Amino acid sequence: MITSPVGSGTVEPGRLGRLTCWTLLALGPLWLLLAANDLVFNLGAGRRVLAAPVLVAVAVQHTRLVRRAVPRGLAGQGPRHGPATAGGWWNFLLLAGAIALWGDMADRPYTAIDWAMVPGAMAAALALSLPTRARRRLLATVAVGCAVLGETVAQWRHDKPELLTGVPALTGAAMVLFVAGVELVLVRLWRAVLEAEHVRETTATLAVAEERLRFAADLHDLQGHRLQVITLKGELAERLIGRSDHDARVQVREISDLARAALEESRAVVHGYRRASLSTELVNAAGILEAAGIRTAIDGDAARIPHQLQPAFAALVREGVTNILRHSRARHCRITITASAGQARVLLRNDGAPSRPADPGSGLAGLQERFHAIGGCVRIATQPGGHFELAGHTDREAPA
């Protein structure tokens, strides 16, 4: 797990976050690929010996700096700042060597732009590990240095008339800023993705907390009054014993009736019978999933499900939504309702399921027992492509 930039909790980056990280790690070799091609096929032996170590060192150090600045999945650490990051002041010496290499290649009309990527890649990777103000100063200094050095060398070696005045300076500065701009934008994207993942997990946690509060409120509303009445009648029965045994028995009988009714209502709250119909549960589910960034589609008419079966299917939807929020990284969810003579079925299907199925826990086990009691069954399946299905089915119109 990695530390979230927006809170003290931890989040795991999703597919887009991992893609952004791997893109940043691959940029260093990509920037240097064209320069390496020129080194292999066009340079003489002397220049090749001097340029090759710099290219290799920049590629290696670029990868190290990016891995420190942008955490990578479960193995990542938080971003670190300062010149001593991943190599210390060696970074600045290597940056100076990359600028000097660009100056030596600035008079090559057709490949100068390739060599300008060498200091650009090094400066961009180093800038990722610096605070914002220091980062701007570094990039401005490197861009101006490359421009001045490139133009100076090109004018000193004035044996190439096809090289226009100002082109080396523009090439050096522009490539440094371009390479740095691309990598900084990707880092911003990474942080935005990480923040979105944090918000998603927070939303799921809030949805679960809201459901717990709803249950607590229902239980309190149901049982608070009944328990108070039972207490009063118990005290009254205690005072009547020995004075009026008949009235005491009446009070004890009423206490038993109240306790039985309270027990039935408690079971109704636990099983979700009292809370809402299937239609209401579907509306709540769609609202919670949409708030969590999960596009939800509902096919079918909940009114076609027999009234006696709706509490069980409402519980199925509620449990399925909870599992989606807690155990998947879904982006789409579809709820399908089918009903025919003597049969009813509700199917929840979502993407983003983990490769290893989560422990079904007591919630799904309770669903199995509930549907078994009404002559139905619950089916759980993981399909290829990370799709998860939760289906409830019964072929009876009313519970036994």
Side-chain angles (χ1 to χ4, degrees):
M1 306 296 284
I2 56 178
T3 301
S4 167
V6 294
S8 59
T10 57
V11 295
E12 183 180 353
R15 183 180 303 174
L16 182 58
R18 293 192 296 270
L19 178 62
T20 304
C21 182
W22 282 110
T23 301
L24 275 167
L25 290 173
L27 279 179
L30 288 176
W31 295 133
L32 306 177
L33 184 60
L34 294 176
N37 180 73
D38 186 47
L39 179 146
V40 173
F41 296 103
N42 299 324
L43 292 185
R47 274 186 165 182
R48 189 178 301 169
V49 170
L50 294 175
V54 178
L55 278 179
V56 173
V58 169
V60 172
Q61 199 66 1
H62 181 278
T63 301
R64 294 185 64 198
L65 289 171
V66 168
R67 290 187 64 180
R68 291 295 184 93
V70 181
R72 191 176 50 157
L74 298 176
Q77 303 294 328
R80 305 173 186 178
H81 298 293
T85 298
W89 293 96
W90 157 251
N91 294 320
F92 294 102
L93 295 177
L94 184 56
L95 177 60
I99 295 174
L101 178 61
W102 145 250
D104 185 50
M105 304 296 180
D107 62 333
R108 299 173 61 81
Y110 303 106
T111 59
I113 192 172
D114 303 335
W115 290 101
M117 293 182 181
V118 180
M122 189 61 206
L126 186 57
L128 297 178
S129 301
L130 295 176
T132 302
R133 187 172 299 178
R135 176 187 303 164
R136 292 173 180 173
R137 288 198 296 264
L138 173 69
L139 294 179
T141 301
V142 174
V144 172
C146 287
V148 173
L149 179 61
E151 189 65 28
T152 300
V153 170
Q155 294 301 324
W156 177 52
R157 300 175 181 173
H158 50 76
D159 55 338
K160 296 182 179 179
E162 69 274 16
L163 194 62
L164 299 178
T165 302
V167 170
L170 180 62
T171 300
M175 289 310 300
V176 168
L177 298 178
F178 171 75
V179 172
V182 170
E183 297 199 9
L184 291 175
V185 166
L186 286 175
V187 169
R188 285 183 177 271
L189 176 61
W190 159 263
R191 291 173 180 169
V193 169
L194 201 61
E195 183 176 352
E197 293 292 337
H198 178 77
V199 171
R200 171 190 170 87
E201 292 198 0
T202 301
T203 302
T205 302
L206 290 176
V208 174
E210 182 181 357
E211 179 63 16
R212 289 175 177 172
L213 290 175
R214 193 278 309 171
F215 175 80
D218 281 356
L219 194 61
H220 177 271
D221 293 342
L222 280 172
Q223 305 302 351
H225 175 70
R226 292 195 179 277
L227 290 175
Q228 185 178 13
V229 174
I230 288 173
T231 301
L232 294 175
K233 286 185 173 293
E235 294 174 353
L236 178 58
E238 184 180 4
R239 290 195 298 267
L240 290 174
I241 294 176
R243 296 182 181 180
S244 176
D245 291 342
H246 173 74
D247 292 338
R249 284 193 295 271
V250 171
Q251 295 299 324
V252 171
R253 189 180 305 112
E254 291 181 358
I255 290 174
S256 299
D257 293 339
L258 285 170
R260 191 177 299 108
L263 179 60
E264 292 177 356
E265 289 182 343
S266 296
R267 289 173 176 172
V269 172
V270 171
H271 291 293
Y273 290 163
R274 182 179 176 273
R275 187 193 176 200
S277 64
L278 177 58
S279 300
T280 304
E281 197 61 47
L282 288 172
V283 173
N284 293 339
I288 292 174
L289 292 174
E290 292 288 347
I294 303 173
R295 299 185 60 181
T296 306
I298 300 176
D299 299 329
D301 185 5
R304 298 185 60 189
I305 301 293
H307 175 73
Q308 299 89 337
L309 301 177
Q310 290 215 6
F313 285 106
L316 175 85
V317 172
R318 185 163 59 251
E319 184 65 26
V321 169
T322 301
N323 287 337
I324 290 172
L325 293 175
R326 298 182 64 181
H327 301 303
S328 76
R329 297 189 170 277
R331 289 292 179 266
H332 299 85
C333 175
R334 180 173 295 275
I335 304 176
T336 305
I337 305 163
T338 55
S340 58
Q343 293 186 344
R345 183 172 182 263
V346 174
L347 169 67
L348 283 80
R349 191 172 193 267
N350 63 274
D351 57 7
S355 56
R356 293 183 178 180
D359 183 6
S362 59
L364 292 178
L367 278 179
Q368 294 277 11
E369 296 175 359
R370 187 174 306 171
F371 272 79
H372 179 72
I374 61 175
C377 63
V378 175
R379 183 178 63 85
I380 303 169
T382 300
Q383 304 294 338
H387 290 87
F388 180 81
E389 291 184 355
L390 172 64
H393 177 271
T394 179
D395 55 3
R396 301 177 61 176
E397 295 187 356

